[in-house]
Amino acid sequence: MLFRCHLKRALPQKVSCKFCAVMGKLQSKLKYSTYKYSRPDGFRDERIQTKAFQEYSPAHVDTVSVVAALNSDLCVSGGKDKTVVTYNWRTGNVVKRLKGHEREITKIACIHKSGQFFSASRDKMVMMWDLQGSSQPRQQFSGHSMVVTGLAVSPDTSQLCTGSRDNTLLLWDVGTGQCAERASVSRNLVTHLCWVPREPYILQTSEDKTIRLWDSRGLQVAHVFPAKQHIQTYCDVSEDGHKCISCSSGFGGEGCEATLWDLRQTRNRICEYKGHFQTVASCVFLPRALALMPVIATSSHDCKVKIWNQDSGACLFTLSLDGSGPLTSLAVADTVSLLCASFSRGIRLLRVDHSRGLELQEVAGF
């Protein structure tokens, strides 16, 4: 049986042309995707982007629930396979695979620019790990009666705040592993926690549709923001500590938004970002160096990642990660890169490109 190579030569089936073989491998790494670009003048362009896409060895063998950046090269992730994985997303290599939890990993919190991080799980446990240490947890924190759904490390790294579906927040001494404070609010099913930079305050979202600001000095509620119409799934705080964003559950475009809040004296709602069609699972402030205007990013169960103008609420760019299933977590990797965890396709590395305006490209997966 004969086939034709690039030179139109007829070759036997068992004989291959080296050039065609190389080109075949390169072609297999090209990924074609459709995305929508929102121009500043309000018009929307639909473009086909073709780019080199690198598929690395997978970090997990099942759904990835959460991903967080440890430093400018490494990320930490967890999922249904019960493992915590540190991964070099620049080279595509697993650095360390850690086992200790008995059920799915739900949250990861990193001490940035260090090798230390925390993991929470449906097994009700929180574990502290050290990348430079052994494969065993450095510290374990046991005190919740249900799945742990919130983790936040204090700016000085001396305290850890955990939250759960058991309606409680616990404040821990990281050094000793002892619980220092406990607080409980009826129907306060915690969905996420984050610590306000350079402040004693902890931001918390809940299934009761509210966002609470806690004072870690005594673990008391300092402020409750006006309740939303849907479950608040996630929150993030700006680097200067002046603003925060939360995001909502929803379906069919009802709910499915992110909301910007003022954390200073007024604590008013500033802006809303609407355009997703299913639950928004994650929202993050993007580095100021990334664009001329302040921007945020959201990821949703509708398989889309969106970049928004923080001030106007305009959607600047939408990237569809087709076949990924619900997008579960979003993290800033460096000044131009994002990491997006998914239900079906592991973790996707996304990169901001300014060659034709503000665009987001999928460049690798693992």
Side-chain angles (χ1 to χ4, degrees), residues 62-350:
D62 205 335
T63 295
V64 182
S65 306
V66 58
V67 63
L70 182 61
N71 55 41
S72 59
D73 299 316
L74 305 181
C75 65
V76 185
S77 58
K80 284 190 175 180
D81 61 6
K82 310 172 190 174
T83 62
V84 178
V85 177
T86 52
Y87 201 99
N88 189 319
W89 56 266
R90 294 189 188 274
T91 63
N93 296 317
V94 172
V95 177
K96 213 165 192 177
R97 196 178 297 276
L98 303 164
K99 295 183 179 181
H101 287 290
E102 297 178 356
R103 297 188 65 186
E104 176 186 353
I105 311 301
T106 54
K107 296 290 180 179
I108 299 286
C110 297
I111 299 177
H112 295 290
K113 298 181 180 178
S114 80
Q116 298 177 343
F117 48 91
F118 302 85
S119 60
S121 168
R122 288 188 176 276
D123 64 10
K124 312 171 192 175
M125 293 289 295
V126 174
M127 296 184 181
M128 181 181 184
W129 309 87
D130 192 335
L131 191 60
Q132 310 304 323
S134 71
S135 296
Q136 299 300 312
R138 176 175 172 176
Q139 192 72 266
Q140 298 190 47
F141 307 85
S142 176
H144 288 289
S145 60
M146 296 183 71
V147 51
V148 182
T149 48
L151 279 180
V153 188
S154 64
D156 65 2
T157 73
S158 67
Q159 293 178 304
L160 175 72
C161 187
T162 63
S164 168
R165 288 181 62 85
D166 63 10
N167 302 325
T168 65
L169 266 67
L170 302 179
L171 192 64
W172 305 86
D173 185 300
V174 171
T176 65
Q178 299 299 309
C179 181
E181 299 283 354
R182 174 186 291 265
S184 180
V185 175
S186 177
R187 294 187 289 183
N188 182 30
L189 283 73
V190 176
T191 56
H192 194 70
L193 295 170
C194 55
W195 210 296
V196 180
R198 298 173 296 279
E199 296 286 349
Y201 298 110
I202 304 159
L203 194 69
Q204 180 238 317
T205 48
S206 172
E207 287 193 17
D208 69 1
K209 307 175 185 178
T210 62
I211 304 104
R212 291 178 174 84
L213 190 65
W214 293 80
D215 190 333
S216 63
R217 298 165 296 188
L219 205 56
Q220 300 288 327
V221 175
H223 182 74
V224 180
F225 291 87
K228 300 283 291 179
Q229 295 298 311
H230 295 79
I231 290 171
Q232 297 301 285
T233 58
Y234 194 90
C235 57
D236 190 31
V237 180
S238 60
E239 286 187 12
D240 59 13
H242 294 168
K243 298 182 179 73
C244 68
I245 45 175
S246 66
C247 49
S248 297
S249 66
F251 186 77
E254 185 69 26
C256 316
E257 80 272 1
T259 306
L260 181 70
W261 306 88
D262 190 346
L263 273 179
R264 291 168 291 184
Q265 289 185 350
T266 61
R267 292 175 177 166
N268 294 329
R269 185 177 68 185
I270 301 173
C271 189
E272 286 198 331
Y273 311 91
K274 297 183 177 182
H276 284 292
F277 287 91
Q278 293 187 42
T279 292
V280 181
S282 192
C283 51
V284 292
F285 287 93
L286 298 183
R288 291 301 299 265
L290 191 144
L292 296 176
M293 77 286 288
V295 287
I296 66 169
T298 56
S299 65
S300 167
H301 289 183
D302 63 11
C303 305
K304 291 179 173 59
V305 179
K306 291 179 178 286
I307 296 180
W308 309 82
N309 183 315
Q310 179 183 299
D311 296 332
S312 69
C315 181
L316 304 175
F317 191 83
T318 299
L319 176 67
S320 294
L321 298 177
D322 299 329
S324 293
L327 304 180
T328 55
S329 179
L330 194 63
V332 176
D334 63 16
T335 54
V336 295
S337 304
L338 292 172
L339 296 164
C340 184
S342 71
F343 193 88
S344 304
R345 294 180 60 217
I347 301 168
R348 321 315 288 171
L349 175 61
L350 314 177

Side-chain angles (χ1 to χ4, degrees), residues 27-76:
Q27 190 174 22
S28 69
K29 291 183 179 180
L30 290 178
K31 181 177 177 66
Y32 301 86
S33 59
T34 304
Y35 61 86
K36 291 183 179 179
Y37 168 64
S38 299
R39 294 181 354 201
D41 55 14
F43 290 96
R44 296 178 70 84
D45 295 334
E46 188 168 288
R47 302 174 181 173
I48 305 294
Q49 68 179 25
T50 305
K51 59 186 181 296
F53 176 85
Q54 184 68 55
E55 193 70 59
Y56 296 131
S57 59
H60 297 273
V61 296
D62 205 335
T63 295
V64 182
S65 306
V66 58
V67 63
L70 182 61
N71 55 41
S72 59
D73 299 316
L74 305 181
C75 65
V76 185

